[in-house]
Amino acid sequence: MPVAVVTTMFPLAKQLGVSRIVPARRITHPCGDPSLPAEADRAVRRRIVMAALKALRTPVAEPTTFPVGQE
């Protein structure tokens, strides 16, 4: 079963051998940014989720980081 890890500690995840890594925003708010206006925060969360879904669809042979795109 494919798994993607959304984490702020992506260098550690890579070191541990996690196969699919999606960089998060902050330790306190990994999947968003409450300091942004609501619409911008929603866009950040969407980009993170889309990167994670792309990671799940992508075959990997080693730890791979999937960057969060700019929409």
Side-chain angles (χ1 to χ4, degrees), residues 18-70:
V18 174
S19 58
R20 294 170 181 85
I21 306 161
V22 178
R25 295 286 290 197
R26 301 179 183 165
I27 289 176
T28 55
H29 300 284
C31 291
D33 189 344
S35 67
L36 295 174
E39 194 63 34
D41 181 40
R42 195 171 7 265
V44 167
R45 288 184 278 137
R46 180 175 173 77
R47 288 193 304 264
I48 292 169
V49 169
M50 296 306 287
L53 290 173
K54 179 180 179 182
L56 292 173
R57 292 189 311 264
T58 305
V60 296
E62 60 185 29
T64 306
T65 301
F66 291 84
V68 176
Q70 301 296 323

Side-chain angles (χ1 to χ4, degrees), residues 5-16 18 21-27 30:
V5 174
V6 178
T7 181
T8 56
M9 298 185 288
F10 50 92
L12 178 61
K14 193 169 192 174
Q15 201 173 38
L16 292 172
V18 174
I21 306 161
V22 178
R25 295 286 290 197
R26 301 179 183 165
I27 289 176

